[in-house]
Amino acid sequence: MQNDVGKVLYTVEELQSRIQALGAEMAADYKDKNPMMIAVLKGSFVFMADLVRAMDIHCQIEFLAVSSYGNQTTNTGAVRLTKDLTCDIADRHVIVVEDILDSGLTLNYLMGYLKNRQPASMEICTLLDKPDRRQANVYAKYKGFTVPNAFVVGYGLDYAEQYRNLPYIGVLKPEIYE
Ligand code: XMP
Ligand code: MG
């Protein structure tokens, strides 16, 4: 699998050090608020696991699943909720945890959907931000890294459901996408 990687963007060490800092910042902001951390599956599963372990406060873990990409590398604009929450978020402090903020269409849809359930507050934490491709106006209060406009894989992120288990984030060799 690792032979398919053309370039490593963020090493295991770089990811860990950034996530430790992000977790500490969020723990300070949400101390005594028992935030509800909602990861957007599947891409955020690895990030979520490391992020919550970097937060030394009480918090709750929840999951949502959406599908927007299929097996392509560009967003079709269609967002579909494939797994709903199993709990009430009314009057709770919600943090939506995403792997990557790209066009913003997914989070724009999700934030509207969650807002209807009347949380006390709602913020976004995204590991990666790809601002060049933004189509919807979405604000992420917490960000790991700003990435260049390339399709990235690893650390939860996939290409055609593969490479989620790469321990670092990278870009595949061009021939893999062909
Ligand atoms: P949007 O465009 O709605 O995208 O902000 C959010 C979702 O699209 C996926 N995505 C990617 N997945 N490498 C990936 O593996 C990428 O470079 C990439 N860009 C967007 C991702 O699932 C995210 O939740
Ligand atoms: Mg994906």
Side-chain angles (χ1 to χ4, degrees), residues 23 26 30 34-40 47-48 51-53 55 57-64 85 92-97 125:
M26 291 168 69
Y30 284 88
N34 190 17
M36 188 170 283
M37 311 283 297
I38 304 180
V40 185
F47 176 43
M48 178 76 151
L51 180 66
V52 295
R53 285 181 294 172
M55 295 172 67
I57 58 168
H58 289 285
C59 64
Q60 197 172 327
I61 314 295
E62 297 293 337
F63 297 97
L64 267 181
L85 291 173
R92 297 292 305 270
H93 295 284
V94 166
I95 304 171
V96 177
V97 178
C125 175

Side-chain angles (χ1 to χ4, degrees), residues 59-110:
C59 64
Q60 197 172 327
I61 314 295
E62 297 293 337
F63 297 97
L64 267 181
V66 292
S67 90
S68 54
Y69 266 65
N71 288 344
Q72 297 148 333
T73 55
T74 50
N75 201 333
T76 55
V79 179
R80 194 163 53 92
L81 195 72
T82 55
K83 181 203 176 305
D84 205 344
L85 291 173
T86 55
C87 61
D88 190 10
I89 62 167
D91 303 320
R92 297 292 305 270
H93 295 284
V94 166
I95 304 171
V96 177
V97 178
E98 254 286 33
D99 52 356
I100 184 164
L101 177 54
D102 190 341
S103 70
L105 296 171
T106 305
L107 278 172
N108 192 44
Y109 165 84
L110 266 185

